Amino acid sequence: MARKAVKLASWTSAALGASGVYFYSNKYLDPNDFGAVRVGRAVATTAVISYDYLTSLRSVPYGSEEYLQLRSEVHLRSARRLCELCCANRGTFIKVGQHLGSLDHVLPEEYTSTLKVLHSQAPQSSMQEIRQVIREDLGKEIHDLFLSFDDTPLGAASLAQVHKAVLRDGRTVAVKVQHPKVQSQSSKDILLMEISRHLGKMYSEMIFVNGFVHCDPHPGNMLVRKHPRTGKAEIVLLDHGLYQVLTDEFRLDYCHLWQSLIWTDMQKVKIYSQRLGAANLYPLFACMLTARSWDSINKGISHVPVTSTEDSEIRTNVTTCLPEISQLLNCVPRQMLLIFKTNDLLRSIEATLGTRASASSFLNMSRCCIRALAEHNKKNTHSFFRRTQISVCEAFNLWKIDLHELMLHVKGSKLACWVSSLLFWLVPIPH
């Protein structure tokens, strides 16, 4: 079983180079990321990690308490070595390290918790380098844009310990939430659900409706602030250096695929997965997109909640499916590679917020898919009657989603529990 651990570790290490090719090919690559020194560091790190697993776990009975303890220690040592490699090589290695730190559903906790440091504590540029970039890219001096930089909290009533930048017009441009500080658990849950809904809606709009996607939504690039007038949560995106423009054909096929996944139309799941390059690996393709098991997909991802057992099953299956995963990544369009990355990062944020089991994100996606497909169909017809028919059908489908969401809300509310209790009291179950 040590071989299995070595396989996982080797794949994780190799991903630092391979994912760079997949996700940042050509347009996004820094040629310096593949210099001899950087490649040498990556190879050496992979060799050291593999040797550590082999020697540490070889003579320990698999599944024993000692084995689990040793494996956790080796995971942690290996994760720290990978983090050091990312910091030493910088560039694309940092980006891939941030991505790996978000794969909670795939990698052991020791890896993700260690690599998550790269989201907010990656090697920093000096103020002199920042000033130079602003001068070269914007033709301005830094004091032309900002009045001040401040590392102090916004005050006792604020949501978080923050780093604040004040624009010259007086607006606070960014508030980075490290840990929401609220008075009660219920208000905390409401806040987190609000943030999660906004995030899901924003990315659904980008992917399905606009086809212009910010593809680096790791926590270090996500800021949250209260709207100055409404007091509602607002999300601010940073780091606009990695965008993907989706072709209409790709975007519409992707719309159809997610509609099929949400409403459990397995025949269309197969058709649109194959249109997007998955060929006969469409079950694996669907599992990678949703981070759900094939069994859950067949039952309905918007109906079956995520469980720890399912997450454990996915982690186990990843190590046995590496050749198929590699084959699939080589077959799908380049647009899909960055969409995979974006999905993984968004899913990680949902897991951190504790909202991954909620069906609201799927329903928001479905709304955007309906709007995007209706807009496309209306653009491609000159018949007033046909456009009216499409609009009515769109409104009806959106109403069905609203009704479904309302039913889910009622089902999960205290009122539903009270009604159920009352019915059981009025109509006792016969013995």
Side-chain angles (χ1 to χ4, degrees), residues 161-370:
Q161 194 82 0
V162 302
H163 298 285
K164 181 173 67 171
V166 181
L167 291 174
R168 290 199 68 83
D169 64 4
R171 288 178 295 136
T172 298
V173 68
V175 173
K176 181 176 179 180
V177 175
Q178 303 289 356
H179 179 69
K181 295 181 179 179
V182 288
Q183 296 301 315
S184 67
Q185 184 64 37
S186 60
S187 60
K188 176 182 175 181
D189 291 341
I190 291 170
L191 170 66
L192 298 183
M193 285 301 300
E194 183 183 2
I195 293 171
S196 184
R197 280 197 301 269
H198 284 328
L199 184 62
K201 183 177 180 181
M202 179 171 63
Y203 266 86
S204 293
E205 291 272 352
M206 279 194 275
I207 293 172
F208 299 113
V209 179
N210 300 319
F212 186 61
V213 190
H214 179 288
C215 291
D216 201 15
H218 66 73
N221 289 339
M222 289 281 181
L223 305 173
V224 180
R225 68 177 180 186
K226 281 190 173 182
H227 191 281
R229 290 190 299 275
T230 66
K232 294 183 178 181
E234 263 190 344
I235 295 175
V236 181
L237 286 179
L238 300 181
D239 191 355
H240 299 276
L242 187 61
Y243 271 81
Q244 177 68 64
V245 179
L246 306 180
T247 65
D248 284 345
E249 181 183 5
F250 177 94
R251 180 174 60 86
L252 295 171
D253 283 343
Y254 196 57
C255 280
H256 281 297
L257 174 59
W258 268 105
Q259 283 284 77
S260 305
L261 286 166
I262 291 168
W263 300 113
T264 325
D265 187 337
M266 302 313 295
Q267 182 59 34
K268 287 187 177 178
V269 167
K270 178 180 179 180
I271 291 171
Y272 287 104
S273 295
Q274 291 179 336
R275 283 177 63 91
L276 290 167
N280 292 329
L281 294 173
Y282 69 90
L284 176 62
F285 182 68
C287 292
M288 289 173 65
L289 274 180
T290 59
R292 303 296 302 272
S293 67
W294 184 239
D295 184 55
S296 294
I297 290 172
N298 276 280
K299 291 178 180 177
I301 55 175
S302 59
H303 303 289
V304 180
V306 182
T307 64
S308 56
T309 303
E310 183 180 2
D311 280 343
S312 178
E313 177 188 343
I314 291 171
R315 287 192 185 96
T316 302
N317 289 339
V318 163
T319 57
T320 60
C321 295
L322 290 180
E324 290 80 8
I325 291 173
S326 178
Q327 179 184 346
L328 182 62
L329 291 175
N330 278 307
C331 291
V332 296
R334 184 172 298 170
Q335 298 171 88
M336 181 56 69
L337 300 176
L338 283 172
I339 293 296
F340 273 136
K341 175 182 185 290
T342 304
N343 282 349
D344 287 336
L345 292 171
L346 291 173
R347 196 172 297 118
S348 174
I349 292 175
E350 286 183 344
T352 301
L353 295 176
T355 59
R356 189 177 162 212
S358 170
S360 63
S361 61
F362 292 122
L363 296 176
N364 278 328
M365 290 171 69
S366 189
R367 287 186 180 97
C368 287
C369 289
I370 289 169

Side-chain angles (χ1 to χ4, degrees), residues 83-128:
C83 190
E84 290 171 2
L85 171 65
C86 292
C87 292
N89 280 1
R90 300 175 67 117
T92 300
F93 284 82
I94 293 285
K95 288 291 186 185
V96 179
Q98 290 170 340
H99 182 202
L100 295 177
S102 301
L103 298 179
D104 304 83
H105 56 291
V106 173
L107 298 178
E109 193 272 338
E110 293 86 351
Y111 279 91
T112 55
S113 62
T114 301
L115 293 170
K116 272 181 169 63
V117 172
L118 297 172
H119 290 154
S120 56
Q121 299 178 34
Q124 298 179 1
S125 300
S126 67
M127 184 57 69
Q128 182 179 355

Side-chain angles (χ1 to χ4, degrees), residues 18-170:
S19 295
V21 176
Y22 283 134
F23 297 130
Y24 304 98
S25 53
N26 297 337
K27 183 178 178 181
Y28 307 106
L29 273 179
D30 179 356
N32 293 325
D33 288 326
F34 294 95
V37 174
R38 286 175 172 81
V39 172
R41 284 197 196 107
V43 171
T45 300
T46 303
V48 170
I49 289 174
S50 300
Y51 180 78
D52 194 1
Y53 275 100
L54 282 172
T55 55
S56 300
L57 302 177
R58 181 168 48 193
S59 57
V60 183
Y62 174 75
S64 65
E65 187 174 340
E66 182 184 5
Y67 176 89
L68 297 177
Q69 177 63 31
L70 280 174
R71 186 180 64 179
S72 179
E73 292 173 2
V74 178
H75 280 341
L76 187 57
R77 287 199 299 269
S78 302
R80 287 171 176 167
R81 287 177 178 129
L82 287 177
C83 190
E84 290 171 2
L85 171 65
C86 292
C87 292
N89 280 1
R90 300 175 67 117
T92 300
F93 284 82
I94 293 285
K95 288 291 186 185
V96 179
Q98 290 170 340
H99 182 202
L100 295 177
S102 301
L103 298 179
D104 304 83
H105 56 291
V106 173
L107 298 178
E109 193 272 338
E110 293 86 351
Y111 279 91
T112 55
S113 62
T114 301
L115 293 170
K116 272 181 169 63
V117 172
L118 297 172
H119 290 154
S120 56
Q121 299 178 34
Q124 298 179 1
S125 300
S126 67
M127 184 57 69
Q128 182 179 355
E129 291 172 318
I130 293 172
R131 292 178 189 275
Q132 181 179 347
V133 169
I134 290 177
R135 279 197 301 269
E136 292 177 355
D137 289 1
L138 302 178
K140 291 178 178 287
E141 296 294 331
I142 197 167
H143 58 73
D144 292 332
L145 296 175
F146 298 101
L147 284 173
S148 64
F149 287 96
D150 188 5
D151 290 339
T152 59
L154 288 181
S158 67
L159 291 176
Q161 194 82 0
V162 302
H163 298 285
K164 181 173 67 171
V166 181
L167 291 174
R168 290 199 68 83
D169 64 4

